[in-house]
Amino acid sequence: MSNDSIKNRISTLISQIREADIDYYQDDRPKLTDSDYDKLRLELINLEKMYPELVLANSPTNSVGAKPSNKFGKIKHSIPMLSLDNAFDNDDVIDFCLRVKKFLSINNDYNLAFTSEPKIDGLSASLRYENGKLVSGATRGDGTIGEDVTANLSTLRNIPLILKGNDWPDVIEVRGEVYISHKDFKIMNTKQLSLGKDIYKNPRNAAAGSLRQIDPKITAQRPLKFFAYAWGEVSHLTANTQIEFIKLLSKWGFQVNPEVKLHSNPQKMIAHYNEISNIRSNLGYDIDGVVYKVNDLLLQKRLGFVTRAPRWAIAHKFPAEKANTSLKQIDIQVGRTGALTPVARLEPITIGGVVVSNATLHNEDEIERLNVKPGDVVEVQRAGDVIPQVVRVIKSSNGPRFNIPKECPVCGSIANRDTDLVTGKMDAVRRCTNGFNCSAQAIERIKHFVSRRAFDIDGLGAKQIEFFYKNNLINEPADIFSIEARNKFIDLEKFEGWGLISVDNLFNAINEKRTIEFSRLLYALGIRHIGHGNAVIIGRHYLSWSKMLIALKSAIDYKGEQWDDLLSIDGMGNAAATSLVNFFNDSVNISIVNNLLNFIVVQDTLEPSVNSKISGKIIVFTGKFDKFSRDEAKSRAQLLGAKVSGSVSTKTNILIYGPGAGSKYKKAKELGITIMTEDEWIEFLNL
Ligand code: IVH
């Protein structure tokens, strides 16, 4: 055969295999017998072996592609991969529909259409197609940056390498869930057992492990599948509704979930949830709830999202699964903020396919409320990824009551329950008072410091951090960044478990993070009440680290201009503001941060790149609005690059007012600030 005819044969085989994959997965109507299908694949594999120079990049055998490396590259999602807020009962669903209508200023009697679809319990992935060809595939990662698993995703039989039809956009990122079916999961575990290997915990873990194989050939042998349900960047979307979009996905060759339905009110959504819940065990794959989405894509766009979840969707979770077991003992764990958390050590039991041997008891009030003690038989529940918890005592033992110690079990310092200065209420949590001097707190803070949403340092996991701390090599964040320089005295590679390569990899991973974004650094410090969401809004407000430090120093008495300014940040509560001010006015914290700043560079928050009449401007809304709900007005201004504040000060640029405006309106007038009515605002921005 000539080279050309071999090339042709290879292309034909690839199309035939892809067609067969679509018949099998997408349409559930295989036209080829398994053995005919295997013959095609075998012929292709043999040809590729004989003529490696003719192997095509889109080959389903994936004998070409990325050379195995010991690490995945990173891919920045051009549009973040969001997560979903949860609804746990029917009332939450009704509230969600009301919230959506309120935001859109839609009358409550209006039947607004929502879709519902199963929430697949797998791992999400994003596939980028340019001119109909798969060019990259990434895991979700932290939502902003994922891992480049293009080679691995290309091996999935029901991910099209080339989109079917011709009405696809030039650029589209298709998002969905990678999963393993129950049937395939059973086969995988039978195989593991016959090889004397450990079995996989559940299909989700097996899918995650299979997708993140360094060698895509191993992924190719795993029964991974993909359900498509959303999009990221898209050059031009022809669908007007969620339902139309799903139809397009199917036309382009993706497997979409057959249980998607359209509803006109929350009662119907809940009825469908109940139906899905009844057929859950027969679906053939794991789901952990139902996702509702606003059907109209223009309305989805108007609704937008809050830090990490869209306003237009919600996940209605299935109730937690429960089982009874005996409680062997109660241990006390000390967390990053010094919180003493009682943990129940259980007789291991399988709940919803996962072996559970520990469950949280939250705090001492909870122990009191449950009157739980070692030797009791207890009911334990597990919901999704949430830590299992003890729900109640089923059978009490005769043992003595269990009392939480009043000292930290790790460092022996006094552990207190604080009293809230404002409400006078005692905190439910008892905390060790020894801060960074308590080894448990120090270790947990460092673990948090390097975690995914913080510095995200590969190769510095819990085990390594404990090792470094116990050997007095890393006691605080700054030590992470000086360890390479100190290694000439340490010789890390000589320690058990370390070698030249692992040490080199670790140093490289650390060096990659010497420049860090403002919000990541703030989150990494593990300040109470400053989670990821708050860190982001604080970063957007102050823009530069040093400006924030100056402001917080002068807010020390919880009054004055800087304190008001801090509280005026949209979404900032009193507890978070107080905690932030306290943290940056404490000398131990300041020296820990200063030590760290000797080694790293903090990147200012990038101003939103949108160019509009109001980008960078500080805007205050007051009174009632007619055309937009207050929330939508705010969100639109933010999308146009403005900062929305809750109070008027000399920094305010524009005040938009409606009927009922009072003191803010007066103050703005006094300060000579630009003032507009809702209609003037709409005209000004061409909304
Ligand atoms: S929509 C912007 N639809 O659930 C909204 N997510 O808890 C993007 N998931 O990260 C998500 N099935 O991995 C959507 N039918 C479905 C889903 C689904 C599973 C996952 C997804 C997401 C997570 C959020």
Side-chain angles (χ1 to χ4, degrees):
M1 263 204 285
S2 73
N3 248 7
D4 271 352
S5 50
I6 293 162
K7 250 194 208 161
N8 281 341
R9 182 66 193 148
I10 287 181
S11 312
T12 313
L13 284 169
I14 292 179
S15 345
Q16 285 175 340
I17 291 170
R18 286 291 163 186
E19 279 292 304
D21 286 344
I22 288 169
D23 294 339
Y24 183 88
Y25 285 109
Q26 166 75 29
D27 305 336
D28 217 3
R29 222 179 285 137
K31 295 197 191 94
L32 292 184
T33 63
D34 282 358
S35 86
D36 284 344
Y37 176 83
D38 289 343
K39 269 187 212 149
L40 292 180
R41 278 185 88 92
L42 201 63
E43 186 184 344
L44 180 63
I45 290 170
N46 283 334
L47 282 177
E48 286 178 342
K49 253 194 217 145
M50 274 153 57
Y51 305 97
E53 71 282 7
L54 298 183
V55 176
L56 293 177
N58 68 352
S59 168
T61 62
N62 209 287
S63 22
V64 72
K67 255 225 240 98
S69 68
N70 61 359
K71 222 174 114 192
F72 295 108
K74 303 271 178 207
I75 289 192
K76 186 167 168 36
H77 303 299
S78 47
I79 297 197
M81 288 183 79
L82 303 173
S83 48
L84 293 168
D85 281 339
N86 293 325
F88 294 103
D89 55 30
N90 296 352
D91 284 347
D92 289 347
V93 177
I94 295 169
D95 284 350
F96 162 68
C97 296
L98 283 175
R99 254 198 326 271
V100 165
K101 288 186 191 172
K102 189 168 168 250
F103 186 94
L104 295 169
S105 269
I106 290 179
N107 194 318
N108 201 15
D109 309 332
Y110 181 80
N111 278 343
L112 184 66
F114 288 88
T115 58
S116 63
E117 56 192 87
K119 183 171 187 300
I120 319 297
D121 194 7
L123 42 137
S124 47
S126 185
L127 308 166
R128 187 179 174 89
Y129 291 84
E130 288 176 8
N131 301 314
K133 290 204 184 88
L134 177 68
V135 292
S136 66
T139 61
R140 178 172 184 278
D142 65 1
T144 310
I145 294 176
E147 282 177 320
D148 182 349
V149 284
T150 312
N152 301 31
L153 284 168
S154 316
T155 68
L156 267 68
R157 284 182 59 188
N158 71 344
I159 288 184
L161 299 174
I162 298 182
L163 297 180
K164 280 214 289 187
N166 51 15
D167 59 347
W168 24 259
D170 293 346
V171 174
I172 179 156
E173 284 170 9
V174 173
R175 291 176 174 176
E177 207 80 357
V178 175
Y179 70 100
I180 289 179
S181 75
H182 289 158
K183 197 169 124 216
D184 289 331
F185 179 67
K186 261 205 189 127
I187 299 174
M188 274 178 93
N189 267 349
T190 315
K191 205 158 138 198
Q192 288 293 102
L193 279 177
S194 71
L195 295 172
K197 292 191 181 163
D198 286 344
I199 57 166
Y200 298 100
K201 233 165 83 181
N202 56 41
R204 193 189 130 88
N205 281 8
S210 302
L211 184 63
R212 296 186 74 258
Q213 287 292 325
I214 297 302
D215 183 352
K217 288 206 197 83
I218 299 182
T219 308
Q221 293 158 12
R222 303 283 171 84
L224 293 173
K225 291 181 186 164
F226 181 78
F227 268 129
Y229 53 67
W231 69 93
E233 188 184 337
V234 58
S235 52
H236 172 70
L237 194 58
T238 45
N240 295 313
T241 63
Q242 185 72 25
I243 292 276
E244 276 174 35
F245 174 69
I246 290 180
K247 285 199 182 127
L248 281 179
L249 283 175
S250 164
K251 227 170 111 187
W252 297 336
F254 292 97
Q255 184 186 18
V256 295
N257 197 284
E259 305 298 333
V260 183
K261 268 204 176 139
L262 188 63
H263 309 281
S264 54
N265 63 44
Q267 286 68 33
K268 292 188 180 154
M269 291 151 71
I270 293 166
H272 190 218
Y273 166 89
N274 290 330
E275 264 171 44
I276 291 187
S277 156
N278 288 337
I279 57 164
R280 182 178 178 189
S281 55
N282 303 327
L283 285 174
Y285 45 86
D286 275 352
I287 65 172
D288 57 348
V290 171
V291 184
Y292 306 122
K293 300 176 183 171
V294 170
N295 189 39
D296 185 323
L297 301 189
L298 274 179
L299 296 184
Q300 283 192 6
K301 204 164 169 209
R302 274 179 60 191
L303 283 152
F305 51 88
V306 209
T307 44
R308 42 169 280 280
R311 286 196 188 85
W312 45 266
I314 200 159
H316 190 176
K317 300 296 276 275
F318 290 131
E321 300 193 56
K322 295 178 180 161
N324 298 344
T325 187
S326 60
L327 189 157
K328 295 193 292 192
Q329 74 185 55
I330 299 177
D331 288 344
I332 307 293
Q333 275 178 355
V334 183
R336 138 176 90 80
T337 57
L340 267 45
T341 305
V343 178
R345 306 293 179 201
L346 307 166
E347 193 56 52
I349 182 154
T350 306
I351 312 179
V354 172
V355 179
V356 172
S357 39
N358 303 309
T360 179
L361 284 161
H362 299 294
N363 53 50
E364 58 192 88
D365 286 352
E366 181 75 354
I367 290 192
E368 181 108 338
R369 191 180 70 79
L370 298 171
N371 186 16
V372 60
K373 51 193 167 315
D376 290 355
V377 174
V378 292
E379 182 178 69
V380 180
Q381 76 174 22
R382 187 196 136 252
D385 286 341
V386 184
I387 305 167
Q389 62 186 105
V390 173
V391 192
R392 61 190 172 119
V393 173
I394 299 290
K395 194 162 159 265
S396 192
S397 73
N398 293 324
R401 280 189 91 86
F402 181 84
N403 294 315
I404 285 223
K406 309 274 185 292
E407 297 89 34
C408 171
V410 176
C411 72
S413 307
I414 294 176
N416 281 337
R417 291 177 67 168
D418 293 340
T419 306
D420 188 304
L421 294 177
V422 182
T423 61
K425 269 200 193 146
M426 191 157 64
D427 201 350
V429 177
R430 188 174 288 280
R431 286 174 206 279
C432 162
T433 48
N434 205 8
F436 252 103
N437 296 326
C438 167
S439 66
Q441 282 195 58
I443 289 177
E444 291 306 317
R445 286 196 201 187
I446 297 169
K447 282 188 198 163
H448 173 79
F449 185 86
V450 302
S451 65
R452 212 174 60 168
R453 295 187 139 183
F455 274 68
D456 191 19
I457 298 180
D458 283 345
L460 202 47
K463 225 175 70 198
Q464 289 80 4
I465 291 171
E466 269 153 36
F467 160 84
F468 283 125
Y469 191 87
K470 296 215 163 104
N471 287 286
N472 214 8
L473 298 171
I474 293 182
N475 297 312
E476 59 173 80
D479 299 339
I480 297 172
F481 294 95
S482 65
I483 191 144
E484 183 171 8
R486 288 182 285 132
N487 198 34
K488 49 180 181 278
F489 311 112
I490 304 172
D491 281 337
L492 192 51
E493 48 284 349
K494 302 227 171 82
F495 282 78
E496 201 190 311
W498 292 94
L500 277 174
I501 297 185
S502 54
V503 169
D504 198 45
N505 284 344
L506 176 66
F507 292 165
N508 286 339
I510 292 172
N511 291 336
E512 270 177 32
K513 300 297 159 76
R514 285 185 191 264
T515 301
I516 194 87
E517 296 139 53
F518 181 144
S519 62
R520 275 189 183 260
L521 170 59
L522 185 59
Y523 171 70
L525 295 176
I527 304 166
R528 261 181 87 193
H529 303 297
I530 310 295
H532 171 72
N534 270 343
V536 169
I537 61 173
I538 294 166
R540 282 197 200 133
H541 181 77
Y542 290 110
L543 302 176
S544 105
W545 187 262
S546 51
K547 273 195 202 145
M548 174 184 77
L549 292 187
I550 295 167
L552 295 179
K553 287 224 164 74
S554 61
I556 182 159
D557 298 324
Y558 317 119
K559 56 179 192 253
E561 197 184 334
Q562 291 307 336
W563 173 251
D564 292 343
D565 181 55
L566 174 61
L567 278 183
S568 78
I569 302 178
D570 190 33
M572 173 66 55
N574 218 308
T578 310
S579 169
L580 188 70
V581 169
N582 290 350
F583 184 92
F584 285 102
N585 283 292
D586 174 288
S587 60
V588 176
N589 293 336
I590 291 174
S591 81
I592 283 174
V593 174
N594 282 343
N595 292 346
L596 174 64
L597 292 176
N598 287 329
F599 298 101
I600 62 167
V601 175
V602 190
Q603 238 173 10
D604 288 353
T605 311
L606 294 176
E607 289 262 23
S609 54
V610 268
N611 224 336
S612 82
K613 279 191 193 162
I614 56 166
S615 28
K617 298 263 189 300
I618 298 179
I619 291 179
V620 177
F621 292 96
T622 186
K624 256 183 87 74
F625 294 102
D626 216 21
K627 311 259 170 18
F628 296 116
S629 67
R630 172 86 72 90
D631 282 341
E632 185 173 9
K634 262 193 205 168
S635 129
R636 286 206 171 211
Q638 281 161 343
L639 283 177
L640 290 169
K643 282 194 232 160
V644 177
S645 168
S647 59
V648 175
S649 74
T650 46
K651 288 199 197 144
T652 310
N653 298 106
I654 310 173
L655 177 97
I656 298 105
Y657 73 99
S663 60
K664 288 184 195 169
Y665 177 81
K666 253 173 110 187
K667 189 162 177 196
K669 274 237 139 143
E670 277 163 27
L671 294 172
I673 287 162
T674 309
I675 293 178
M676 294 182 192
T677 62
E678 187 186 10
D679 285 337
E680 284 165 346
W681 169 247
I682 289 173
E683 203 184 305
F684 175 65
L685 285 180
N686 258 333
L687 290 178

